[in-house]
Amino acid sequence: MNYEKAEQTIKKLLISRSVSTVLQEIVDVLYEEFEKYSWVGIYRVEGNMLVLGPWKGTQATEHTRIPLGHGVCGAAASSGKTELVDDVSQDKRYLSCFVSTRSEIVVPIKKSQAILGEIDIDSDRPAAFDAADVVFLEKVADMLSSHI
Ligand code: SME
């Protein structure tokens, strides 16, 4: 796992690739680069809904449309703040997608004050995400704000 390498790869993709494919490619980089990232997806805000865009993982989620305010995803989209859940079984807001998930991070993608979407990552490891993931993923979310 290498935050700097992943950041450079993502920067290069954003410069060289077309808008239509770059989000999927970035999701793929995150999934491939970090073993603890068991499922990676990008949701877009459409009206009062979060709508799933590109994702990568071993399974599809049934939660392809999440109302704002619902779940950990909806909480992050409503507050505009990163949500970090060390133990999903202890978080009442959690909407279960995969039985294997133990922890989750959701990072809003913002432009000025507007919340455009979010990066959602599930991990099969308990408490998989720490401050380094928050810093890194908030940087990635920032880079994505013109491409979502
Ligand atoms: N667990 C999320 C739902 C999305 S899935 O993890 C892909 C939530 O609680 O909002």
Side-chain angles (χ1 to χ4, degrees):
M1 148 176 38
N2 185 333
Y3 296 105
E4 271 180 28
K5 182 178 157 225
E7 190 182 331
Q8 290 315 317
T9 307
I10 290 166
K11 270 189 188 151
K12 276 188 210 149
L13 285 174
L14 285 170
I15 293 166
S16 62
R17 301 303 172 100
S18 80
V19 174
S20 61
T21 56
V22 75
L23 289 181
Q24 181 70 58
E25 287 166 344
I26 289 166
V27 163
D28 294 351
V29 168
L30 293 172
Y31 180 82
E32 303 296 345
E33 186 69 23
F34 301 96
E35 215 186 316
K36 66 182 181 179
Y37 294 1
S38 308
W39 188 93
V40 180
I42 292 179
Y43 285 87
R44 290 187 183 87
V45 175
E46 290 183 14
N48 58 358
M49 281 281 173
L50 284 164
V51 180
L52 183 62
W55 63 272
K56 181 139 177 142
T58 53
Q59 279 173 268
T61 174
E62 64 183 282
H63 296 295
T64 55
R65 295 171 68 83
I66 302 174
L68 292 184
H70 286 235
V72 181
C73 285
S78 301
S79 69
K81 296 209 170 77
T82 294
E83 290 283 349
L84 210 168
V85 180
D86 283 342
D87 179 354
V88 292
S89 73
Q90 297 302 311
D91 195 313
K92 290 200 178 70
R93 303 166 304 172
Y94 177 66
L95 297 171
S96 174
C97 290
F98 319 110
V99 283
S100 53
T101 298
R102 293 289 172 270
S103 56
E104 178 168 19
I105 188 168
V106 184
V107 181
I109 300 170
K110 296 182 273 192
K111 199 167 197 180
S112 307
Q113 300 305 320
I115 298 162
L116 306 178
E118 60 192 28
I119 304 168
D120 176 26
I121 304 181
D122 284 26
S123 181
D124 294 348
R125 301 183 196 172
F129 308 102
D130 60 19
D133 295 286
V134 173
V135 169
F136 167 64
L137 291 169
E138 287 184 350
K139 227 183 267 180
V140 176
D142 222 36
M143 292 193 264
L144 293 186
S145 65
S146 305
H147 296 82
I148 188 170

